[in-house]
Amino acid sequence: MSSNSKASARAQKAAEMRAAQKKRETRRRILTIGGVVVVMALIIGGSIGVSLLNKKEVKAAAAGSSAYGVTIGKKDAPHSVVIYEDFLCPFCRQLESATRSDLESLAADGKVFVEYRPFDLLSQGTGSDYPIRAAGAFSIVLDKSGPEIAKKFHDLLYENQPSEQNPDVVTDADLVALAVKAGASESDVKAAIEAGEGADWVTKATKEAHDSGVSSTPTVLLDGQLFQDGRTIDDIAKNLVAAVD
Amino acid sequence: MSGALAWVGLVARVVTGGVWIVAGALKITEPDASIAAVRAYQLLPSSVAETVGIALPAIELVVGLALVLGVLTRGAALISALLFVAFIIGISSVWARGIEIDCGCFGGGGSKSGAASAYPWEIARDAALLAASLFVAWVRRTRLSLDSLLFDRRSESAPEGAV
């Protein structure tokens, strides 16, 4: 009887110790997991912090105040839009074709003032100087033939955009032909385009875009604020037009 | 047998984790490119794309570190597998919609003509890494993992399964 109860007391004590041991182990495991999770959270937080510090804010000159663009509409319109673009960028062409006629008519109605700022984003990635040649030709037309013809030329460049894989199918002679089609006089622009005289302007325009924090195209600003409202380019185009209408 | 599997698990862990670390680290310092890369898939609304573009590289880095070190291995492997499923869906979706973009997997991103030819290879790569992740999650115990140091080996249930 007494030896029996001793044995059961021993067994009970052993069970208690096991339970305590188990409890300690569980506690240790929870603390370890907690510690690891905290370290992970710190690394995630730190990485996000590094990303946010490296993030560039787009702070561009107001529409009409850049030396490297062409405007449509009146400066005192209630809304202003700035579009940074590369003549070789397919998304830019998509945005162009989706917004051009609407923005033109809204500008004509005095509702919006739009500035297009071409620069060279893609010559490095594609290994082609087409973005420089096209934007350079644009600057020459802007200089010699004025903004209206330059805007027309800009539109024609998008309508005749070559593919990124083979941009050099559009030659300097083709650029001259498009400029003439836009209304430039051949004698004004031919020699300068063929000599690549616009390259310096493009370098400066590209620097201006870079300094403004523009790192992709198309970059759209509505009333000075980066405009990215939409999932697809067509959404963005639709929302942009709706926002200024 | 399970010893050999544990070694294969180590290889799967280090390869997959290494890919994550490289992919994450390359993007953390280039947040604008990362956001643009997410946006180029044209799947997410703009503000969500921005959050994903910032958060994803950080998550990739941590999942990679966890896999290489073998800490909370199972959880990390499951998150890794989920991410690969998401990437495979993303690439398939742009492929199906005829959008040509750089996948932005290791930095870069954005539209890129002729990119479609790379899609099958990118999907195959992600599928292989998905398989490796699932293997790590399934095998539970792998060689040279921090888990086996951190968590008592004598305890009965697999500690890697803790999270």
Side-chain angles (χ1 to χ4, degrees), chain B residues 50-140:
Chain B
E50 185 156 345
T51 309
V52 171
I54 296 277
L56 190 56
I59 292 168
E60 290 178 354
L61 179 68
V62 165
V63 167
L65 286 172
L67 284 174
V68 168
L69 295 175
V71 59
L72 304 187
T73 312
R74 215 164 176 228
L78 288 174
I79 295 174
S80 167
L82 276 179
L83 290 173
F84 282 122
V85 169
F87 292 173
I88 290 170
I89 291 173
I91 295 170
S92 308
S93 142
V94 286
W95 195 6
R97 285 177 291 159
I99 301 173
E100 294 199 302
I101 57 168
D102 180 329
C103 75
C105 309
F106 301 94
S111 91
K112 180 180 166 195
S113 62
S117 60
Y119 292 157
W121 138 249
E122 284 163 3
I123 290 175
R125 180 195 59 202
D126 286 355
L129 291 168
L130 167 63
S133 306
L134 290 174
F135 177 79
V136 172
W138 171 74
V139 78
R140 282 167 180 253

Side-chain angles (χ1 to χ4, degrees), chain A residues 44-58:
Chain A
I44 290 183
S47 305
I48 289 176
V50 169
S51 287
L52 290 176
L53 284 178
N54 277 285
K55 197 170 175 309
K56 290 198 199 77
E57 289 299 319
V58 176

Side-chain angles (χ1 to χ4, degrees), chain A residues 24-35:
Chain A
R24 274 201 302 279
E25 268 178 32
T26 310
R27 199 177 131 78
R28 193 178 84 87
R29 176 176 306 167
I30 289 171
L31 283 177
T32 311
I33 292 173

